[in-house]
Amino acid sequence: MEQIMTFTTIFDTVNKIVIPKIQRDFAYGRTDSQTANKRARFLGSIYSKISNGQPISLDFVYGDLRDGVLTPLDGQQRLTILFLLYWFASKKENIDLGFLKNFTYETRPSARDFCEKLVNFTPDLDNQIISEEIKDQNWFPLEWNNDPTIQSMLVVLDDIQKQFSGVVNLREKLENISFHFLAIEKMGLTDELYIKMNSRGKLLSDFEHFKAELEKQISIYNEEKSKTVIEKIDTCWTTLLWECSEKNKAVDSEFLSYFNFICNIIRFIDGKPRCNHLSVFEKIDEFFSDKSGQNPERNIQILEQYFDCWFEHDKPINVQAFFDNFITTQAHEPGKIKLNKSDVFRKCISGDISLGDTILLYAFIVYRQNMKQIQEKDFRRRIRIVNNLIQNSSDQISDSENRSLGNTLPAIIKQVESIIRDGKIKLDLPANFNSYQLSEEQEKLEWTHNNPEMAESLFTLEDHHLLYGQIAIIGLENSNLFGQFSRLFEKTNWDLIDCAMLSLGDYFQQENSWRIQIGSSNFDSAWKNLFHKSGSTGFDNTKSVLTELLGKISNESDVSKALEKIAEDFTAGCENKKEFPWKYYYVKYEAFRPGRYGKCIYTSEKPYELIVLWTERQQSANAYNPFIKALEKAIRNSISRESWGERIYSMDNNLYIDSDNTNYYIRNATDEDVQETVEILQNSDGIDKEDRIRKIQEKMKEVLLYDRSDSQR
């Protein structure tokens, strides 16, 4: 008979717990990274719960109970950790826990003897690491270092010491840890049975325990409903999941993944964050038991609806075909939204589902539940709105209470339900999707209603990979330019676009007081940042320059030549006027455009102290001063990474060069004294009146002819 117990109360039922010879070694203390992470999560979960006085369930423990001796069939690892936790608590708080003597290992004589010695040993917890102190004892022989169970226990004890030393009343708080105990009396745990168990799986799978617990809890308040749910799990729901997963395999994990998704949605409905950290049994207690304080009848109805919505005429639909009808993974396709993977239901049951995917799957479920009221053509328009919102709200989609916006998922699913059910965007709903995108979607909804003949052109633009739903960079008022955007960015070298746009105007955006975002020849993230509204300043400038450029190429048959001419006209104009702003150098010299993230250190007060960043957000050794980098060919040397790209050395002459907003400096490489200052003439507005790079290149031709003694005069 199943009972809920703690490590203390189980010894009221059994006299002794013996891990048999045939069982594997205690494995939780292995030092590989995977086990270390698993151990950290497990102990961290226990610590988090008991520190706050909250209960935690360790699922099922069961085995053969004969003459008062329990031989565990399942639960060895968890029971061993509990033994070590209680041992630590007893020594920390000087409490005699006699029942600890009744836990032992028979896997090896050394493991058995170690458990006996450990119970009788009192360490100095304040001054030493437990494992080191134990190994120093005269009762700890050297050969025990070769026993994997003993070594594993020592590792776990050290982690327990680190994690739980500060917990007050630890012994009392450990009683919050419980497990479901099932004694299978006189079962006869022979070696043969263990071999069969290891080759064929556990006597009862975790999923079978899950079903039993779910049935039990539902039956408390509705016995008929519990039978219905379990019958569906065993028949039609399993068939659905089997059809959607790899054939000829159990779908236990797929069911639990979808069950977790449903529990998360219930949490969002109730204004709470996700519950991924809870075990399946804790989820049953929270959502489907009469002791949860919630509405279990409502929750079981949601569980049924979220499974049953994938059925028609009592048979599961072809889920893949359903999603393929609304989603494309390729280029724009009329009537479909564009995603990297089409079947979000499969992503869910595989356990690989993000918060964005969760929202999207919820939107499809709302449609499936209301298909009689929602026409398919209306749903196609509405799911596009939802997808655009998801794609452009990565900073807003969060269920963390620690972020500034808090848990936005409850409001987000309300917004999604309104959009899918009624086709209405709630602009007054607080803290949900990106506010820019919500306003844009409302405008586009009205615009497509008034301009239905232009809708497909808009949707094609939305699906461009640089825009992914947000078209504010062009604007509905420039609908005549929609097609030109794809023409420009799909068939043209991005470096040409970058130069042409900067030639037309200051299209870059100021991200903060010292860093700007500009385009890139290789990285699409630069353009994505520029084309999406954010906290950066200058978005309107980017839009103005881009739309001007799109207008200029609209009648050009050769876009690349048109872009080249724009850049050439700009640099030629600067040379004719003898005015060389910093962007002249950017367009003229390739060193200014490394094809990276398009990030530069820049201030308008000192534009010629521009620094090109190699990384996305910080200055690093690979960053460089492009006014120095442009000298590499002339000096036949590379800029210095040690000086973060702000110097270039000419070792033959024992010189290096650096620069600031107004001058180049030729310095002695030994003592860094300035040998010569090369002043750049500037007008009253602080703009160069001469090409500073040409000037320093010519100067270096002279300097490199000097011998070392001449260069130091």
Side-chain angles (χ1 to χ4, degrees):
M1 179 178 163
E2 177 194 329
Q3 304 172 66
I4 297 177
M5 291 189 172
T6 68
F7 195 68
T8 301
T9 60
I10 193 174
F11 286 100
D12 295 334
T13 300
V14 308
N15 298 327
K16 197 171 187 179
I17 298 175
V18 178
I19 308 300
K21 291 181 180 180
I22 196 67
Q23 270 283 27
R24 63 174 176 157
D25 291 301
F26 178 55
Y28 252 72
R30 292 174 181 169
T31 55
D32 61 278
S33 59
Q34 182 176 359
T35 304
N37 290 334
K38 183 178 180 181
R39 181 171 64 250
R41 290 194 301 270
F42 185 68
L43 290 177
S45 178
I46 291 176
Y47 173 81
S48 176
K49 289 289 186 180
I50 69 170
S51 296
N52 297 309
Q54 297 176 335
I56 182 171
S57 172
L58 302 186
D59 297 346
F60 275 81
V61 170
Y62 54 89
D64 180 54
L65 180 59
R66 181 180 298 187
D67 299 327
V69 177
L70 173 66
T71 307
L73 180 63
D74 183 44
Q76 167 203 354
Q77 306 292 322
R78 284 164 287 148
L79 287 172
T80 305
I81 288 181
L82 288 174
F83 165 72
L84 297 175
L85 277 167
Y86 274 83
W87 177 86
F88 179 79
S90 72
K91 303 305 178 181
K92 175 178 179 293
E93 297 171 357
N94 196 26
I95 302 171
D96 182 19
L97 299 179
F99 60 81
L100 294 176
K101 297 178 181 179
N102 298 324
F103 179 89
T104 188
Y105 263 71
E106 294 291 347
T107 53
R108 291 182 181 86
S110 53
R112 178 195 61 214
D113 294 343
F114 175 76
C115 290
E116 180 181 337
K117 294 292 187 183
L118 187 67
V119 170
N120 294 318
F121 172 62
T122 300
D124 181 5
L125 297 176
D126 293 331
N127 299 312
Q128 291 198 52
I129 297 172
I130 289 179
S131 63
E132 294 179 358
E133 187 175 2
I134 290 174
K135 289 181 180 181
D136 284 341
Q137 302 306 306
N138 57 16
W139 49 261
F140 190 95
L142 289 176
E143 58 265 25
W144 282 9
N145 287 316
N146 298 321
D147 187 313
T149 288
I150 295 175
Q151 292 307 304
S152 190
M153 285 186 179
L154 291 175
V155 170
V156 172
L157 280 173
D158 286 345
D159 283 356
I160 288 173
Q161 183 182 25
K162 294 175 186 175
Q163 186 99 46
F164 295 88
S165 290
V167 178
V168 180
N169 298 325
L170 177 59
R171 162 68 180 84
E172 178 183 340
K173 291 177 179 177
L174 289 177
E175 291 304 305
N176 283 319
I177 306 173
S178 63
F179 50 83
H180 296 259
F181 175 56
L182 182 62
I184 307 174
E185 297 188 35
K186 299 182 180 179
M187 177 180 168
L189 296 186
T190 64
D191 290 2
E192 180 182 359
L193 176 60
Y194 269 97
I195 293 170
K196 288 181 179 179
M197 180 189 73
N198 289 332
S199 64
R200 299 181 185 175
K202 297 175 182 177
L203 191 66
L204 293 175
S205 70
D206 290 341
F207 187 66
E208 287 170 327
H209 286 309
F210 159 77
K211 288 195 298 180
E213 182 66 14
L214 182 64
E215 181 178 17
K216 171 185 164 186
Q217 293 299 337
I218 297 175
S219 66
I220 293 174
Y221 57 86
N222 192 327
E223 188 169 352
E224 285 301 314
K225 179 60 70 176
S226 70
K227 293 178 181 178
T228 300
V229 169
I230 298 304
E231 182 181 358
K232 286 183 175 182
I233 292 175
D234 289 336
T235 56
C236 58
W237 292 354
T238 295
T239 301
L240 167 71
L241 296 173
W242 190 83
E243 291 289 340
C244 294
S245 62
E246 297 178 22
K247 304 296 190 296
N248 301 317
K249 68 183 283 290
V251 293
D252 299 0
S253 62
E254 283 83 352
F255 185 97
L256 293 177
S257 292
Y258 194 51
F259 178 79
N260 182 68
F261 162 81
I262 294 170
C263 291
N264 282 336
I265 295 297
I266 293 173
R267 274 259 181 145
F268 300 150
I269 291 172
D270 292 335
K272 299 177 182 179
R274 281 175 293 181
C275 57
N276 292 352
H277 61 289
L278 299 180
S279 72
V280 292
F281 297 99
E282 289 173 318
K283 290 169 188 170
I284 291 172
D285 284 343
E286 176 170 340
F287 301 111
F288 303 103
S289 72
D290 62 346
K291 59 187 178 184
S292 65
Q294 291 198 13
N295 185 346
E297 289 90 347
R298 178 206 64 175
N299 295 343
I300 199 65
Q301 183 180 22
I302 291 174
L303 177 67
E304 286 192 277
Q305 289 175 343
Y306 282 27
F307 271 102
D308 291 345
C309 71
W310 303 109
F311 288 78
E312 290 178 1
H313 310 298
D314 298 325
K315 292 183 179 180
I317 67 168
N318 185 327
V319 177
Q320 179 68 59
F322 169 78
F323 282 103
D324 285 345
N325 187 36
F326 295 101
I327 298 172
T328 179
T329 58
Q330 305 302 316
H332 170 77
E333 191 172 338
K336 297 184 179 183
I337 59 174
K338 183 180 176 183
L339 292 175
N340 292 329
K341 191 171 183 178
S342 64
D343 190 343
V344 289
F345 184 78
R346 279 190 177 175
K347 290 184 72 175
C348 176
I349 64 176
S350 70
D352 178 28
I353 185 168
S354 64
L355 278 176
D357 293 332
T358 298
I359 297 165
L360 191 65
L361 179 55
Y362 175 74
F364 277 102
I365 289 173
V366 172
Y367 171 58
R368 292 290 311 174
Q369 291 176 316
N370 297 275
M371 289 181 70
K372 292 182 179 179
Q373 292 78 39
I374 304 173
Q375 294 186 38
E376 184 176 302
K377 66 179 182 63
D378 292 332
F379 173 69
R380 291 185 185 277
R381 181 68 184 94
R382 296 170 188 179
I383 196 64
R384 172 170 287 276
I385 294 172
V386 171
N387 188 49
N388 288 345
L389 290 168
I390 293 171
Q391 297 299 321
N392 290 281
S393 301
S394 57
D395 291 338
Q396 288 75 27
I397 296 174
S398 168
D399 70 337
S400 172
E401 301 290 354
N402 297 323
R403 292 182 60 176
S404 58
L405 292 175
N407 179 13
T408 60
L409 267 296
I412 282 175
I413 66 168
K414 287 181 182 177
Q415 184 72 267
V416 169
E417 184 171 9
S418 175
I419 293 170
I420 299 299
R421 284 173 59 97
D422 307 318
K424 295 180 179 179
I425 300 171
K426 294 185 175 181
L427 296 177
D428 58 345
L429 192 65
N432 58 103
F433 288 113
N434 182 304
S435 58
Y436 290 136
Q437 196 65 32
L438 282 166
S439 297
E440 180 178 297
E441 293 305 319
Q442 181 63 46
E443 292 171 4
K444 288 188 293 190
L445 191 60
E446 296 170 0
W447 189 84
T448 52
H449 177 75
N450 295 326
N451 302 274
E453 74 285 355
M454 291 293 295
E456 200 56 43
S457 178
L458 169 64
F459 300 155
T460 302
L461 180 66
E462 285 183 338
D463 287 345
H464 194 280
H465 74 280
L466 294 180
L467 301 181
Y468 49 91
Q470 188 177 113
I471 58 94
I473 195 65
I474 298 174
L476 294 171
E477 70 277 14
N478 295 308
S479 58
N480 60 307
L481 300 177
F482 285 176
Q484 297 302 325
F485 182 87
S486 294
R487 181 169 178 247
L488 178 64
F489 279 94
E490 292 302 320
K491 299 181 179 180
T492 311
N493 184 308
W494 288 356
D495 191 51
L496 293 178
I497 300 173
D498 183 18
C499 292
M501 287 184 66
L502 198 60
S503 298
L504 294 176
D506 294 341
Y507 84 91
F508 58 88
Q509 294 177 26
Q510 194 82 37
E511 288 191 332
N512 52 34
S513 60
W514 60 274
R515 188 177 67 230
I516 63 170
Q517 175 73 72
I518 201 163
S520 169
S521 59
N522 295 325
F523 285 26
D524 61 5
S525 62
W527 299 103
K528 289 176 180 178
N529 289 340
L530 286 165
F531 295 162
H532 290 78
K533 283 190 174 183
S534 64
S536 301
T537 57
F539 181 85
D540 289 341
N541 290 342
T542 308
K543 176 178 179 177
S544 176
V545 172
L546 176 62
T547 52
E548 181 183 353
L549 180 62
L550 294 177
K552 285 180 177 293
I553 68 165
S554 60
N555 295 318
E556 297 288 343
S557 58
D558 191 328
V559 174
S560 295
K561 283 188 176 180
L563 297 176
E564 289 173 355
K565 187 175 188 307
I566 291 172
E568 290 169 358
D569 288 349
F570 169 69
T571 55
C574 292
E575 291 163 354
N576 290 335
K577 292 187 294 183
K578 296 190 180 302
E579 288 187 357
F580 302 88
W582 74 269
K583 60 183 184 177
Y584 161 82
Y585 300 102
Y586 185 96
V587 175
K588 182 78 173 180
Y589 296 100
E590 189 176 352
F592 285 72
R593 310 185 306 276
R596 298 290 294 176
Y597 295 96
K599 301 295 179 78
C600 300
I601 297 175
Y602 167 86
T603 61
S604 57
E605 293 80 11
K606 296 181 178 181
Y608 300 101
E609 293 185 8
L610 184 77
I611 298 293
V612 174
L613 299 181
W614 199 254
T615 60
E616 196 165 8
R617 299 188 181 280
Q618 297 177 335
Q619 188 172 3
S620 68
N622 287 317
Y624 62 82
N625 177 344
F627 295 99
I628 297 296
K629 178 129 178 116
L631 304 180
E632 286 185 330
K633 289 183 179 179
I635 297 182
R636 299 186 300 279
N637 197 8
S638 298
I639 59 172
S640 169
R641 294 180 75 254
E642 289 73 17
S643 63
W644 291 45
E646 297 190 36
R647 297 178 182 178
I648 189 167
Y649 284 84
S650 174
M651 300 310 298
D652 292 341
N653 301 71
N654 195 38
L655 301 173
Y656 76 80
I657 304 172
D658 59 7
S659 69
D660 59 20
N661 195 58
T662 54
N663 303 304
Y664 281 101
Y665 302 97
I666 302 172
R667 301 178 187 268
N668 185 297
T670 302
D671 56 21
E672 301 191 351
D673 284 349
V674 175
Q675 302 295 296
E676 188 170 353
T677 299
V678 180
E679 183 180 2
I680 307 302
L681 299 179
Q682 294 184 332
N683 62 23
S684 58
D685 294 324
I687 298 174
D688 287 0
K689 296 173 63 177
E690 54 188 339
D691 184 330
R692 61 170 60 203
I693 291 177
R694 286 183 187 172
K695 185 171 185 178
I696 191 63
Q697 285 176 339
E698 291 299 318
K699 183 66 180 177
M700 288 312 299
K701 288 179 182 178
E702 300 174 13
V703 172
L704 290 175
L705 294 176
Y706 298 164
D707 61 24
R708 181 173 297 184
S709 59
D710 288 335
S711 69
Q712 294 178 339
R713 286 179 301 182

